[in-house]
């Protein structure tokens, strides 16, 4: 009989970064445990994952509380052979509203996993911040997990549990990503003229420094295009992206798929981390304006620390110079490619560690 696995903490595939992490989690589970493994999912937006053809339970409470099928699922976790937490950054309590949302949506899943008698593996996380005295609550659950993979050093220090181990974001350890880092895949030093600027909404608008950067590039007659990474609920960036760069390009153009597969790479300035990582996978030269710790760690793991900046405090003139350098200086693009190729062995090793942890958890 095939193994059964429950994947917890999925959000919505309409946020392409979160959808990517679910897809990568499923691939990892199947690589570790076999293609015939039976998988069920708990998600905040079940309808967005219909394309998977898997049972998906509604984890987000409504006006009448949690869905009956979901409550029954959490009471019966022991029917699964393995409990897995999707990678991401959903366990945090930086302010009261964030804490309440996390407690209502993610809390029941984490608590049930911690209390389960089944083996548990949480894939690479950014955990925290835990303010307002919440650290003890979350840590009481996290320390009971079989293995907790963490994708940045600050999370390792904040959680400080024996099961915690440092890894990298699922998006950059997957074989599909690391294959693109091979030297022969990084040989293309051409670049298109148009710069892609992809942003996220902060308090209803693009961050002020990003607006300054966009104006500076336009004044310097650098053609700009936009791309929407997330279009779901409170994470819908469509309107703010349109205000900044006009109508956005489609996913095929951004990811160089289909009729755009032979298009030259471009310089991309990305605020959302997975928009940045997906662009690197597509062969673009990416500058990341990070709004959380996860972005700095991911770019450090890729050897690209000089091309990541804090979105709230970066120097627009410095980033504009980096954009110009990537557009005009082949030696800068060559250095960028070399850094990515050099990161490949470490990322492949971390992928192997994740596979081993899933197999060891079940005892294979």
């Amino acid at each position: 009989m095939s193994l059964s696995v429950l994947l917890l903490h999925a959000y919505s595939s309409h946020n392409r970064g979160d959808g990517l992490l679910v897809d990568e989690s499923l691939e990892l589970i199947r690589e570790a445990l076999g293609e015939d493994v039976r998988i069920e999912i708990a998600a905040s937006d079940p309808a967005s994952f219909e394309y998977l053809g898997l049972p998906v339970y509604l984890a987000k409470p409504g006006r009448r509380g949690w869905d009956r099928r979901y409550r029954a699922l959490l009471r019966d976790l022991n029917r699964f052979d393995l409990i897995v937490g999707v990678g991401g950054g959903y366990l945090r309590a930086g302010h009261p509203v964030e804490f309440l949302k996390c407690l209502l949506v993610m809390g029941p899943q984490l608590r049930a996993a911690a209390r389960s008698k089944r083996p548990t593996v949480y894939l690479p996380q950014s955990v925290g911040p835990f303010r307002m005295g919440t650290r003890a609550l979350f840590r009481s659950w996290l320390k009971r997990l079989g293995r907790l993979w963490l994708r940045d050093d600050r999370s390792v220090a904040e959680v400080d549990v024996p099961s915690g181990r440092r890894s990298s974001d699922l998006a950059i350890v997957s074989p599909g990503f690391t294959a693109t880092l091979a030297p022969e895949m990084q040989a293309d030093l051409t670049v298109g003229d148009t710069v892609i600027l992809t942003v996220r909404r902060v308090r209803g608008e693009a961050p002020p420094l990003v607006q300054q950067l966009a104006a500076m590039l336009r004044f310097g007659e650098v053609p700009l295009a936009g791309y929407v990474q997330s279009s779901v609920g409170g994470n819908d960036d469509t309107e703010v992206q349109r205000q900044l760069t006009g109508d956005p390009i489609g996913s095929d153009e951004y990811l160089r798929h289909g009729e755009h597969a032979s298009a030259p790479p471009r310089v991309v300035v990305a605020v959302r981390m997975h928009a940045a990582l997906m662009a690197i996978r597509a062969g673009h030269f990416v500058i990341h304006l990070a709004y959380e710790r996860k972005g700095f760690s991911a770019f450090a793991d890729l050897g690209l620390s000089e091309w990541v900046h804090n979105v709230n405090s970066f120097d627009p003139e410095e980033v504009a110079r980096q954009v110009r350098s990537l557009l005009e200086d082949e030696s800068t693009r060559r250095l960028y490619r070399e850094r990515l190729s050099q990161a490949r062995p470490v990322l492949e090793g971390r992928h192997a560690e994740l596979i081993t942890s899933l197999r060891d958890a079940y005892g294979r």
Side-chain angles (χ1 to χ4, degrees):
M1 188 174 181
S2 59
L3 301 180
S4 60
V5 174
L6 176 62
L7 183 65
L8 294 173
H9 302 292
Y11 177 49
S12 171
S13 70
H14 295 308
N15 181 317
R16 293 179 179 86
D18 291 287
L20 173 66
L21 289 176
V22 170
D23 292 341
E24 296 292 356
S25 297
L26 294 175
E27 285 191 22
L28 195 75
I29 291 167
R30 289 175 175 133
E31 182 180 350
L33 303 177
E35 289 294 329
D36 62 341
V37 63
R38 293 180 291 111
I39 303 173
E40 299 180 30
I41 302 173
S44 296
D45 182 9
S48 73
F49 293 107
E50 287 181 353
Y51 69 93
L52 295 173
L54 300 173
V56 186
Y57 299 83
L58 174 61
K60 184 178 180 180
R63 291 183 179 180
R64 297 184 179 180
W66 290 274
D67 179 77
R68 177 180 55 81
R69 292 177 61 248
Y70 172 66
R71 286 186 278 115
L73 172 77
L74 295 187
R75 288 195 300 266
D76 194 24
L77 293 194
N78 291 330
R79 70 181 174 88
F80 295 94
D81 296 301
L82 179 64
I83 312 298
V84 178
V86 71
Y90 43 79
L91 299 175
R92 54 193 179 209
H95 52 78
V97 173
E98 187 175 67
F99 168 56
L100 183 60
K101 288 182 178 180
C102 181
L103 191 65
L104 290 175
V105 180
M106 304 304 173
Q109 300 175 68
L110 176 58
R111 180 175 179 268
R115 298 180 65 180
S116 169
K117 296 179 182 179
R118 310 310 298 166
T120 53
V121 177
Y122 270 48
L123 298 174
Q125 309 282 314
S126 290
V127 176
F130 295 136
R131 301 191 179 109
M132 304 165 292
T134 60
R135 180 176 180 270
L137 172 64
F138 283 99
R139 191 171 180 273
S140 68
W141 292 331
L142 291 168
K143 69 181 182 181
R144 298 176 65 178
L145 300 177
R147 173 64 69 223
L148 173 63
W149 290 104
L150 298 160
R151 63 184 180 180
D152 65 85
D153 295 334
R154 286 178 61 188
S155 292
V156 173
E158 185 158 4
V159 174
D160 189 27
V161 294
S163 63
R165 295 288 187 277
R166 176 72 161 87
S167 188
S168 297
D169 188 87
L170 280 183
I172 63 174
V173 299
S174 74
F177 186 94
T178 54
T180 69
L181 305 186
E184 62 273 18
M185 298 294 290
Q186 291 292 321
D188 186 0
L189 298 180
T190 62
V191 67
D193 295 332
T194 300
V195 171
I196 301 174
L197 177 61
T198 172
V199 304
R200 79 182 297 264
R201 197 163 55 93
V202 178
R203 302 182 187 91
E205 64 176 8
L209 292 176
V210 176
Q211 295 184 49
Q212 290 183 36
L213 174 64
M216 193 174 296
L217 292 173
R218 281 195 297 266
F219 183 77
E221 298 184 344
V222 175
L224 290 180
Y227 172 72
V228 175
Q229 165 74 10
S230 178
S231 58
V232 58
N235 289 312
D236 189 347
D237 301 324
T238 305
E239 189 56 36
V240 69
Q241 184 71 63
R242 186 173 285 118
Q243 291 170 4
L244 200 60
T245 59
D247 289 338
I249 63 174
S251 291
D252 280 355
E253 185 173 353
Y254 188 70
L255 302 177
R256 300 172 73 204
H257 287 166
E259 64 181 284
H260 301 282
S262 59
R266 298 187 190 178
V267 175
V268 173
V269 181
V271 177
R272 288 191 179 274
M273 183 186 77
H274 285 104
L277 300 182
M278 291 164 68
I280 291 175
R281 180 170 177 164
H284 298 302
F285 301 92
V286 183
I287 299 169
H288 180 31
L289 304 178
Y291 58 93
E292 288 182 348
R293 64 183 75 170
K294 60 185 181 181
F296 292 95
S297 291
F299 265 58
D301 290 348
L302 289 166
L304 301 177
S305 291
E306 67 187 88
W307 288 283
V308 58
H309 308 268
N310 189 314
V311 72
N312 298 310
S313 60
F314 73 95
D315 180 352
E317 291 187 358
E318 179 187 1
V319 174
R321 284 194 297 270
Q322 288 187 324
V323 168
R324 285 286 190 188
S325 183
L326 286 167
L327 283 173
E328 299 170 0
D329 188 350
E330 185 175 295
S331 65
T332 302
R333 298 195 294 274
R334 180 177 290 107
L335 174 63
Y336 197 100
R337 298 294 197 205
E338 289 173 350
R339 295 278 184 83
L340 287 172
S341 292
Q342 291 164 3
R344 186 186 185 197
V346 171
L347 297 176
E348 289 178 330
R350 287 181 169 174
H351 175 79
E353 288 176 338
L354 295 175
I355 292 292
T356 299
S357 74
L358 291 171
R359 290 174 176 167
D360 287 350
Y362 180 65
R364 280 199 165 187

